[in-house]
Amino acid sequence: MNELSQNLLNQEQAIKHFLHDYANKEKGGQTIQNILADAGRYYDADRAYILEWNVQKTAVNNTYEWCREGVAAKRNALQNIPADMVEGWFRLVKERGEFFVSAQDEEFVFGSETYQILELRGIDSAGVSPLVVDGEIIGFFGVDNPKRNTGHLLLLSVISSTCCIEIANKRLEDSNKALEERMKIIQSLSEIYTSVYYIDLTKNYFTELSSVSDVRTHIGASGDAQERLNYFSHHMVTPDCTDELQVFVDLSTLEERLKNTRIISKQYRSTIFPSAEAGGSAASWGQCSFIEGNRDPEGRLTHVFLPRSPFMGLSFRNWRPKRNFRRPMRSLPFFFKTRSSTRPLSVP
């Protein structure tokens, strides 16, 4: 048997062993970490790791890392790596797929893209394979200073593909958890407020989640969020409240205003729901709020809930004549409170 055939046979056996272990091990939060550990030991590497693009593809983060005993970790130091520092890496993995590179190679050139890979990580050699999810390169899997099996490119590819499966599963799981949490919020808000809207700040688009017909007639069920909020502040409240409410509904300042709290609220006098105490002829008090919905991986605010209701934030269907309205926010669910449990709920 020639050397090439022996190499392929060895890789085939290694792949079967790897996939057998992967299939029979319990899946969970440590699955990717276990995969990296197996890869690091197989290649006798100092480290095995995953680098991933952020959402905007402006930087790369070292999201997972395994280190052999006695080798210093580099994960914390390799966060928010600017795109221009890793362009060469991604160009190489796109052109060549999986590959090994070493400073001892004859074709190794000082200042080349392969040199940049080794220089950034402070290593002498590496094995690299792209991570592809839905046809898009989201990052790559690598091993630092591999000392064995450096001709086994097929296993590199199999390992990176397995990591992609786990990354995709985790993203789906996180998405499902976020959806479940969102539905809990919607249900809780619907029990407290007469109208609830969900606003996508990235698109300036709102969607009605629940509302009474009188409000829907004026606001609509979906559309341009800022335009409808401007209409609300100018046509659905008394003139003395217009200026302050216009400032409150300015979506461009929400990021800063929700920086240290998850909810802000504003009271106003509504012209839509007349006051029963005045025989239906006078404006009644109402309240609207902005509640943090979602943030992107970089921490930027992307979605908010906008609930509103007459009677200081309490809906008609939940209103009782003897209820104390001085602390209307006390009934809010726990997840609307501020991030710091030591800081009281902020209601500007």
Side-chain angles (χ1 to χ4, degrees), residues 121-193:
R121 294 195 60 85
I123 54 179
D124 297 320
S125 61
V128 177
S129 183
L131 298 171
V132 183
V133 174
D134 295 330
E136 179 184 7
I137 296 178
I138 63 166
F140 61 83
F141 154 74
V143 289
D144 285 350
N145 296 327
K147 302 168 187 64
R148 286 191 294 114
N149 303 316
T150 53
H152 292 190
L153 292 175
L154 288 178
L155 183 59
L156 266 186
S157 177
V158 170
I159 292 173
S160 64
S161 296
T162 308
C163 288
C164 288
I165 293 173
E166 291 302 317
I167 290 172
N169 287 341
K170 187 177 185 304
R171 289 182 176 182
L172 179 60
E173 182 181 335
D174 291 344
S175 176
N176 289 338
K177 287 181 179 179
L179 179 60
E180 290 176 5
E181 186 67 19
R182 194 173 303 138
M183 294 308 296
K184 290 179 183 177
I185 295 174
I186 292 170
Q187 182 178 0
S188 296
L189 288 173
S190 298
E191 294 174 355
I192 300 172
Y193 297 93

Side-chain angles (χ1 to χ4, degrees), residues 20-250:
H20 179 271
D21 280 356
Y22 171 71
N24 287 280
K25 284 182 179 177
E26 183 177 351
K27 304 299 184 291
Q30 291 297 309
T31 301
I32 293 180
Q33 204 64 33
N34 292 335
I35 292 173
L36 295 184
D38 289 343
R41 286 190 284 265
Y42 180 79
Y43 288 106
D44 194 16
D46 289 345
R47 304 174 196 85
Y49 53 89
I50 287 175
L51 295 177
E52 293 182 70
W53 281 114
N54 63 7
V55 175
Q56 294 77 22
K57 287 196 171 183
T58 57
V60 167
N61 296 303
N62 191 165
T63 51
Y64 298 90
E65 181 184 56
W66 168 89
C67 301
R68 80 156 68 234
E69 186 176 353
V71 173
K74 293 193 174 184
R75 179 180 174 182
N76 291 340
L78 295 174
Q79 302 297 321
N80 295 315
I81 306 171
D84 58 357
M85 292 184 66
V86 293
E87 286 178 350
W89 297 26
F90 283 90
R91 187 160 43 248
L92 280 175
V93 295
K94 185 176 181 179
E95 294 173 354
R96 299 168 58 178
E98 53 279 348
F99 62 90
F100 284 95
V101 59
S102 171
Q104 306 304 316
D105 292 342
E106 291 182 4
E107 65 270 20
F108 184 79
V109 178
F110 182 85
S112 65
E113 291 177 341
T114 53
Y115 171 82
Q116 292 174 10
I117 293 177
L118 303 184
E119 180 186 41
L120 182 62
R121 294 195 60 85
I123 54 179
D124 297 320
S125 61
V128 177
S129 183
L131 298 171
V132 183
V133 174
D134 295 330
E136 179 184 7
I137 296 178
I138 63 166
F140 61 83
F141 154 74
V143 289
D144 285 350
N145 296 327
K147 302 168 187 64
R148 286 191 294 114
N149 303 316
T150 53
H152 292 190
L153 292 175
L154 288 178
L155 183 59
L156 266 186
S157 177
V158 170
I159 292 173
S160 64
S161 296
T162 308
C163 288
C164 288
I165 293 173
E166 291 302 317
I167 290 172
N169 287 341
K170 187 177 185 304
R171 289 182 176 182
L172 179 60
E173 182 181 335
D174 291 344
S175 176
N176 289 338
K177 287 181 179 179
L179 179 60
E180 290 176 5
E181 186 67 19
R182 194 173 303 138
M183 294 308 296
K184 290 179 183 177
I185 295 174
I186 292 170
Q187 182 178 0
S188 296
L189 288 173
S190 298
E191 294 174 355
I192 300 172
Y193 297 93
T194 54
S195 302
V196 182
Y197 303 93
Y198 191 56
I199 301 177
D200 184 337
L201 298 175
T202 65
K203 299 178 181 179
N204 185 36
Y205 191 83
F206 82 93
T207 303
E208 176 192 289
L209 301 179
S210 68
S211 184
V212 293
S213 58
D214 288 347
V215 176
R216 186 180 298 115
T217 300
H218 291 271
I219 299 298
S222 62
D224 185 311
Q226 190 63 71
E227 188 274 328
R228 288 289 83 192
L229 287 171
N230 293 342
Y231 177 90
F232 167 54
S233 64
H234 285 87
H235 300 283
M236 297 175 66
V237 304
T238 56
D240 59 303
C241 294
T242 294
D243 290 344
E244 288 189 6
L245 193 60
Q246 181 63 53
V247 172
F248 180 78
V249 299
D250 183 358

